[in-house]
Amino acid sequence: MSTAPQLVVHRDKELMAQAAAARLITRIVDAQASRGSASVVLTGGRNGNGLLAALSAAPARDAVDWSRLDLWWGDERFLPEGDPDRNVTQAREALLDSVPLDPERVHAMPASDGPYGTDVDAAAAAYAEELARAAGPENHGPVPTFDVLMLGVGPDTHVASLFPELPAVRETERTVVGVHGAPKPPPTRVTLTLPAIRSAREVWLLAAGEDKAQAAAIALSGAGEIQAPAAGAYGRSRTLWLLDGAAASQLPRSLYPPASA
């Protein structure tokens, strides 16, 4: 079931990153208090990494029990382990290496020099199997019910590695697929599909900067998900768009919320 998006607009991208980090800490702590553990899906890109860096610097980060947190990824560039362009490499640098995570609960997507070699479709299938193993009977499907799943929004409205009109955004059965011929480098990627994304309790879409303004306006104005994948990303209980003023600048006034900061 689709949840109507809620919008929060911050003055600038730094404030947006800090506020989103504080919001994420609260959600993780709440989930751990109610269920014992929490699960979060990370996103790469400048906004995802900005949030992680802000979280690393937040005094409240110590409220999280990092050993009881499962981390997953929404997508990954299919490059060798340790490549600086991989989302997991950037996440480790921004946050993960500085907090006491349980390595068994950090679920990185396979690398191109991993056990599946350069077979991106086999790598995607393996990640789908890992998600399925982590899903319990309470999850009603082949992936865990993530507490928060974060997505950066591209200037072309792509989220994860779901690009407009490409086969991955049309996928309705599989939870993870390989992407061939992505329009931005590198062309080969692994990504969660919309069915997997929609299993999350909360989906947060992050957009900052003038280059994201048109994408936000299109996705929030009733566009179809095949043409605007961000429009198809929503959570079971909440869908939250976290924007800075520049990214919100083209939104119809009917959508624009009062400035929150």
Side-chain angles (χ1 to χ4, degrees), residues 22-213:
R23 190 185 290 271
L24 183 60
I25 289 168
T26 300
R27 288 296 300 114
I28 293 171
V29 170
D30 286 350
Q32 289 179 336
S34 62
R35 285 187 301 281
S37 64
S39 62
V40 172
V41 179
L42 300 181
T43 185
R46 66 175 191 247
N47 293 321
N49 291 321
L51 185 156
L52 294 182
L55 204 166
S56 180
R61 82 178 203 186
D62 294 336
V64 172
D65 183 343
W66 295 100
S67 69
R68 294 189 293 130
L69 177 64
D70 281 285
L71 293 178
W72 303 86
W73 270 262
D75 75 321
E76 187 55 276
R77 297 162 172 134
F78 199 55
L79 297 167
E81 186 68 42
D83 189 291
D85 285 339
R86 272 175 64 81
N87 289 334
V88 65
T89 309
Q90 296 171 8
R92 289 189 192 284
E93 189 175 306
L95 172 69
L96 308 192
D97 285 346
S98 63
V99 291
L101 292 157
D102 177 352
E104 295 291 310
R105 301 180 82 156
V106 178
H107 307 275
M109 287 180 161
S112 63
D113 58 352
Y116 312 100
T118 56
D119 187 342
V120 69
D121 300 308
Y127 203 68
E129 288 171 17
E130 189 173 351
L131 283 163
R133 285 195 300 272
E138 72 279 6
N139 296 133
H140 315 297
V143 297
T145 305
F146 311 112
D147 292 296
V148 177
L149 183 149
M150 295 182 288
L151 296 166
V153 179
D156 60 354
T157 73
H158 85 266
V159 290
S161 285
L162 302 174
F163 293 92
E165 307 281 356
L166 291 192
V169 78
R170 302 174 185 270
E171 181 63 46
T172 59
E173 300 296 328
R174 291 176 293 172
T175 57
V176 189
V177 295
V179 175
H180 305 263
K184 61 179 286 192
T188 310
R189 295 155 174 258
V190 179
T191 187
L192 297 189
T193 60
L194 288 176
I197 288 168
R198 293 168 184 163
S199 70
R201 290 184 175 86
E202 298 194 12
V203 169
W204 300 1
L205 295 107
L206 313 174
E210 288 181 18
D211 62 324
K212 307 297 179 74

